[in-house]
């Protein structure tokens, strides 16, 4: 079956679309460079 033939509420189709969207978003996020300055300063406390 093609995408158009599958029911619009088909759980398998919805899961496939959600997975594709999540993978696309993750790929876009990984492509962005994050400067180290965005990390908050931390204080080392030895116990």
């Amino acid at each position: 079956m093609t995408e158009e033939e599958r029911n619009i509420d088909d759980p398998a189709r919805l899961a496939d679309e959600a997975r594709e969207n999540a993978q696309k978003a993750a790929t876009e996020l990984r492509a962005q460079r994050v400067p180290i300055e965005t990390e908050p300063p931390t204080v080392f406390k030895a116990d």
Side-chain angles (χ1 to χ4, degrees), residues 1 3 5-7 9-10 12 14 17-22 25-28 30-31 35-36 38 42 44-45 47:
M1 255 194 270
E3 288 289 324
E5 293 173 354
R6 292 167 74 177
N7 185 355
D9 292 327
D10 180 25
L14 295 173
E17 287 182 3
R19 191 175 305 109
E20 289 173 11
N21 290 339
T27 302
E28 291 173 4
R30 287 188 201 105
I36 193 67
T38 61
T42 58
F44 176 75
K45 294 182 181 179
D47 290 333

